[in-house]
Amino acid sequence: MAAKLLIVPFLLFFSLMIGLVIGYSVLGKLPASEVFQISTYKHMYDLIFSGT
């Protein structure tokens, strides 16, 4: 029973990571290693909220 409860969050997290890598490296044509750097998300945040 506990294994079933733990497998769902693991699969969701795994799907998120795969989706980020595919979106960033395949669609964005950028290095996949940058997906896991916090500076990437700080830069995106600054771009989104720069005018507010």
Side-chain angles (χ1 to χ4, degrees), residues 1-16:
M1 177 77 175
K4 287 183 182 179
L5 290 175
L6 292 176
I7 194 80
V8 172
F10 174 75
L11 289 175
L12 289 172
F13 179 76
F14 186 70
S15 328
L16 176 67

Side-chain angles (χ1 to χ4, degrees), residues 12-49:
L12 289 172
F13 179 76
F14 186 70
S15 328
L16 176 67
M17 291 297 114
I18 295 299
L20 284 172
V21 169
I22 289 172
Y24 198 79
S25 64
V26 175
L27 298 177
K29 296 180 177 64
L30 296 169
S33 62
E34 288 183 10
V35 170
F36 303 108
Q37 295 177 357
I38 194 70
S39 61
T40 301
Y41 297 100
K42 286 182 182 178
H43 180 68
M44 285 185 204
Y45 181 85
D46 290 342
L47 288 174
I48 292 170
F49 295 108

